Amino acid sequence: MTLPLSPDELLSSTRSVRKRLDLDRPVPIELVRECVDIAVQAPTGGNRQSWHWMVVTDPGLRAEIGKYYQQAFDRYRNSPTYGGDVSQHSDERRAVQARVTSSAEYLAERMGDVPVHVIACIEAGEELPASNQAGLWGSLLPAAWSFQLAARARGLGSAWTTLHLRYEKEISELLGIPPNVRQGVLLPTAYYTGDTFKPATREPLDTVLHMDRW
């Protein structure tokens, strides 16, 4: 069964869920398989379909991934690109960023407790191409987003995370992922608490939409 959401409602209410992930409620693996089955309908360059989906439910493995994620988050928190630095934003944007930062910190602390980790991967060789990588990741990331949409439609929450990639090699060795398969995104997945999701506050469209010329 899926939620009665229109396409626009599904697209605009699929949010990154962090604090509201239900860490205690088991997620049926068949539900995860359904979401991956939907995800692999996404477009892929040359119809290569070279993606792979690492689904991690073992508590010990999730705990290890959580430790790597926490370490990566700690380094990010002390970097110039940290999202918690809101000094240049308006008061309204500061309030939003404060909430996002708080939820990101919470997820960093509890990543290992999220019942399902879904890591979307792609066959890419041991060394990523030095040239434009849009074609490579364009064959994986739409499918990962499709997984999130399918999860949302089935009452599951997820969050788009990539900080773990600082320790991609270590996590690949932990999970037995071959060297020629590269990770693209880690999607912590669980049922969520509450039932209200709404479109996020965004900058006015005309500040980012350009017609014909910049």
Side-chain angles (χ1 to χ4, degrees):
M1 297 293 293
T2 56
L3 301 176
L5 299 169
S6 72
D8 285 359
E9 289 174 327
L10 179 62
L11 288 165
S12 61
S13 67
T14 300
R15 309 252 58 88
S16 283
V17 187
R18 302 180 185 95
K19 285 186 175 180
R20 290 174 58 183
L21 292 174
D22 191 333
L23 305 181
D24 299 317
R25 184 179 176 186
V27 177
I29 192 61
E30 285 305 316
L31 203 56
V32 178
R33 289 178 59 90
E34 282 184 23
C35 295
V36 175
D37 198 32
I38 294 296
V40 297
Q41 290 297 315
T44 175
N47 195 33
R48 289 189 296 271
Q49 304 178 45
S50 53
W51 42 44
H52 293 272
W53 303 82
M54 194 77 226
V55 177
V56 185
T57 60
D58 179 87
L61 294 175
R62 287 187 286 112
E64 288 300 311
I65 294 172
K67 291 177 184 177
Y68 284 122
Y69 190 87
Q70 179 70 73
Q71 292 175 42
F73 188 87
D74 289 342
R75 296 184 67 167
Y76 167 59
R77 183 167 22 211
N78 295 315
S79 73
T81 59
Y82 180 49
D85 181 4
V86 297
S87 58
Q88 304 300 316
H89 297 312
S90 65
D91 290 344
E92 181 181 10
R93 182 68 179 275
R94 288 181 184 180
V96 172
Q97 286 301 111
R99 292 195 297 271
V100 171
T101 299
S102 175
S103 66
E105 291 176 344
Y106 172 85
L107 181 60
E109 295 172 357
R110 303 301 301 273
M111 177 65 84
D113 299 323
V114 180
V116 179
H117 292 179
V118 178
I119 304 176
C121 308
I122 192 165
E123 296 174 17
E126 294 188 38
E127 297 295 330
L128 293 175
S131 58
N132 192 327
Q133 296 180 17
L136 173 66
W137 298 115
S139 291
L140 176 67
L141 302 189
W145 175 234
S146 290
F147 174 90
Q148 290 193 275
L149 294 171
R152 164 78 173 112
R154 288 161 175 75
L156 298 175
S158 61
W160 189 281
T161 73
T162 56
L163 287 176
H164 78 291
L165 292 175
R166 178 176 288 277
Y167 299 101
E168 180 185 10
K169 181 179 179 180
E170 291 84 350
I171 293 174
S172 288
E173 291 176 353
L174 175 71
L175 301 177
I177 298 173
N180 68 312
V181 176
R182 303 303 297 267
Q183 301 172 44
V185 62
L186 164 60
L187 304 170
T189 303
Y191 285 105
Y192 52 78
T193 59
D195 58 5
T196 56
F197 289 99
K198 60 184 180 180
T201 301
R202 296 291 191 233
E203 296 297 321
L205 181 61
D206 287 336
T207 65
V208 296
L209 177 64
H210 310 281
M211 299 295 295
D212 296 328
R213 297 183 65 85
W214 190 277

